[in-house]
Amino acid sequence: QVQLVESGGGLVQAGGSLRLSCAASGRTFSSYVMGWFRQAPGKEREFVAAINWRSGGSTYYGDFVKGRFTISRDNAKNTVYLQMNSLKPEDTAVYYCAARPLSDSWYDSWGQGTQVTVSS
């Protein structure tokens, strides 16, 4: 059973940075895609970024990211990171880590989420 545990959220001023971590366990993730999503109050869940766990680690980003966020992975630690820079108040949301097999379209494993609040 896949387990995903996020950490690193918090309160930061606009223009600041945070690094979110997602510790993954329960299986081998070499054929998985790991993603970050976010959900703000009253809004739908939104895709933030994804990375292919395989060597080479192709990355994908939501349109709104525009170079501010970087997703990366540490294979030895089974951990995925989301480095967020130049944060804006509209980035305030609960951020979720998710995983899906490379062959699937749907993310079937989710973490509990971590709150990110950006003050103006």
Side-chain angles (χ1 to χ4, degrees):
Q1 181 178 359
V2 174
Q3 289 188 322
L4 305 173
V5 180
E6 303 98 332
S7 61
L11 174 64
V12 64
Q13 289 188 335
S17 299
L18 281 175
R19 188 177 80 158
L20 305 183
S21 300
C22 173
S25 62
R27 64 158 298 124
T28 302
F29 292 93
S30 57
S31 296
Y32 265 65
V33 175
M34 306 297 294
W36 285 98
F37 292 77
R38 71 183 187 181
Q39 188 166 20
K43 295 188 177 181
E44 293 187 352
R45 187 168 293 183
E46 178 178 36
F47 170 73
V48 177
I51 186 167
N52 186 327
W53 202 285
R54 285 182 174 175
S55 179
S58 301
T59 57
Y60 311 88
Y61 295 96
D63 291 341
F64 69 90
V65 169
K66 295 182 180 180
R68 299 185 297 126
F69 297 178
T70 302
I71 189 171
S72 63
R73 73 200 189 292
D74 184 329
N75 290 354
K77 295 183 179 180
N78 258 16
T79 299
V80 176
Y81 303 99
L82 183 68
Q83 177 67 44
M84 305 187 294
N85 300 327
S86 302
L87 284 162
K88 306 174 182 179
E90 51 263 43
D91 294 318
T92 295
V94 178
Y95 284 70
Y96 297 91
C97 178
R100 66 170 175 88
L102 188 62
S103 58
D104 291 355
S105 300
W106 299 102
Y107 287 85
D108 58 6
S109 299
W110 293 83
Q112 83 287 352
T114 185
Q115 175 71 46
V116 171
T117 303
V118 184
S119 63
S120 58

